[in-house]
Amino acid sequence: MSLSSAQKCLDFIDESVSCFHAVSNMEKELLKNGFNALDEKQDWKLEKGKSYYVKRNDSSILAFRIPKEEIKGFHIVASHSDSPSFKVKANAGITVENSYVKLNVEPYGGMIHATWLDRCLSVAGRVVYQEGSKLISKPVNIDEDLLVIPNLAIHMNREMNKNLSYNPQIDLQPLICADGDNIKGEGKESNVLEEKLSFYAKVPAEEILGRDLFLYVREKGKLAGANKELMISPRQDDLSCVFASLEGLLSAKQGNYIAVSVVFDNEEVGSLTRQGAASTFLKDTMERIAQALQLTGSAYLRLLADSFMISADNAHAM
């Protein structure tokens, strides 16, 4: 990967602070490159030589380009939009010892707990609110240094450097404030997070009906090493593959195969949700593409027989 491509990848990861932001950023890039939006609830009218995308749950997205001439099958790259993190629980702000407020969170995905301590963190995801008769899903990012999960001083645990393990419910609950105005009494909820969400989402707190929120690391990705050959960044699993599959789709030469980049959510917790890799999202979309192009029955099965998919996820290279 060239330095410019590596920096572009880091920029994409920096802006994709949650699965919802990753999909939103992909959508912006697709629209910029002439892709047309589809809705699963609507009828599809597709044309050869054109490009389209469809979302599910605002956290999974499938983009595809249809050849102008004969169609032989599908060439697919699959990756995932979610990354190991902490998921924020409902009514998360809890007052402790009448002195400070922490957020009630739980580990999400295959985390390395120690990498989250003593770093500036914040919260991102989406909020859902009602507008007329519709429910609106909106990405939200509290774009400030908001939280920290502090280590204890070594004086309080002399064995810290020997096989230390963390209890997520005790050791990994981030601090959000030690401000008297936000202290509500021992064990009671604090509304400091709701106030921040309302400000950054530009939605009155009382109108927010639901939310899906995650912690994220605030540091920007960097190129390091003697020749800038090392990429240091959070969320490389799996946003580096999301970026690569998007770039591949946009730059690929037109051939006889429907080029597909599909990005699923919830890989970190098993992919069994409606928008996960084990859902019907890919299957449904491929069938609808074939139907819209009058490639049904045995013609569709012939497409599948001459198709290929790369599962793009991070692993250890060396």
Side-chain angles (χ1 to χ4, degrees):
M1 184 185 286
S2 68
L3 287 181
S4 60
S5 294
Q7 187 58 58
K8 191 175 177 184
C9 178
L10 290 178
D11 292 342
F12 175 81
I13 294 174
D14 286 343
E15 293 167 6
S16 301
V17 289
S18 76
C19 55
F20 305 104
H21 290 81
V23 167
S24 176
N25 291 332
M26 277 191 72
E27 181 177 24
K28 290 172 188 172
E29 201 63 30
L30 292 167
L31 289 170
K32 221 189 300 182
N33 283 272
F35 281 68
N36 302 285
L38 299 171
D39 188 333
E40 284 196 288
K41 303 183 192 75
Q42 305 295 326
D43 188 32
W44 292 2
K45 290 178 172 45
L46 307 181
E47 297 178 35
K48 284 188 173 184
K50 292 199 173 180
S51 304
Y52 302 88
Y53 73 90
V54 59
K55 297 186 296 180
R56 183 176 282 189
N57 189 53
D58 289 332
S59 59
S60 292
I61 187 168
L62 188 153
F64 59 97
R65 299 173 66 185
I66 304 173
K68 293 179 181 177
E69 306 299 335
E70 178 192 7
I71 298 172
K72 294 182 177 180
F74 296 89
H75 281 175
I76 307 165
V77 178
S79 52
H80 64 91
S81 61
D82 58 327
S83 302
S85 181
F86 287 94
K87 188 173 176 65
V88 181
K89 295 183 180 181
N91 303 318
I94 303 297
T95 301
V96 180
E97 297 179 0
N98 286 314
S99 300
Y100 58 91
V101 178
K102 66 180 182 180
L103 290 190
N104 198 3
V105 300
E106 59 185 348
Y108 173 91
M111 301 180 64
I112 302 174
H113 290 154
T115 63
W116 287 80
L117 277 75
D118 298 330
R119 306 178 77 170
C120 285
L121 309 172
S122 195
V123 173
R126 71 166 171 186
V127 295
V128 177
Y129 62 98
Q130 190 161 342
E131 197 172 80
S133 60
K134 292 184 178 179
L135 291 177
I136 307 297
S137 169
K138 184 177 186 179
V140 60
N141 172 22
I142 300 179
D143 191 12
E144 59 183 83
D145 298 333
L146 185 69
L147 307 163
V148 65
I149 304 173
N151 261 308
L152 287 174
I154 197 166
H155 313 80
M156 303 182 75
N157 183 0
R158 291 292 184 183
E159 303 300 308
M160 180 175 288
N161 295 320
K162 299 178 183 177
N163 301 317
L164 178 64
S165 61
Y166 297 98
N167 181 331
Q169 283 302 116
I170 296 174
D171 304 317
L172 301 178
Q173 304 296 295
L175 304 182
I176 190 169
C177 71
D179 181 351
D181 291 339
N182 289 296
I183 303 303
K184 302 297 182 185
E186 181 65 21
K188 294 187 178 177
E189 294 172 21
S190 167
N191 60 2
V192 61
L193 178 62
E194 282 67 26
E195 291 169 357
K196 294 283 186 183
L197 281 176
S198 174
F199 176 80
Y200 280 95
K202 296 180 172 54
V203 178
E206 63 274 10
E207 292 183 16
I208 296 175
L209 303 178
R211 64 195 196 189
D212 291 296
L213 302 174
F214 300 86
L215 304 194
Y216 73 94
V217 174
R218 291 282 292 168
E219 285 96 332
K220 301 292 186 183
K222 293 181 173 62
L223 296 176
N227 299 301
K228 304 302 179 194
E229 70 273 37
L230 304 178
M231 289 175 61
I232 302 175
S233 175
R235 300 183 298 283
Q236 288 199 58
D237 178 12
D238 188 35
L239 293 183
S240 55
C241 293
V242 171
F243 171 80
S245 67
L246 175 62
E247 288 291 293
L249 178 67
L250 296 179
S251 62
K253 292 180 181 178
Q254 190 70 268
N256 293 115
Y257 292 84
I258 299 173
V260 178
S261 170
V262 58
V263 177
F264 298 105
D265 189 13
N266 301 133
E267 186 277 344
E268 289 291 334
V269 290
S271 295
L272 294 175
T273 58
R274 180 175 171 271
Q275 57 274 1
S279 72
T280 62
F281 185 37
L282 177 58
K283 177 176 178 288
D284 290 348
T285 305
M286 290 170 66
E287 288 179 355
R288 292 191 67 175
I289 292 170
Q291 288 170 5
L293 297 173
Q294 284 81 50
L295 297 169
T296 57
S298 63
Y300 175 60
L301 296 178
R302 288 197 299 273
L303 293 184
L304 293 186
D306 195 10
S307 294
F308 186 82
M309 185 174 81
I310 295 172
S311 178
D313 203 347
N314 284 39
H316 297 284
M318 293 186 290

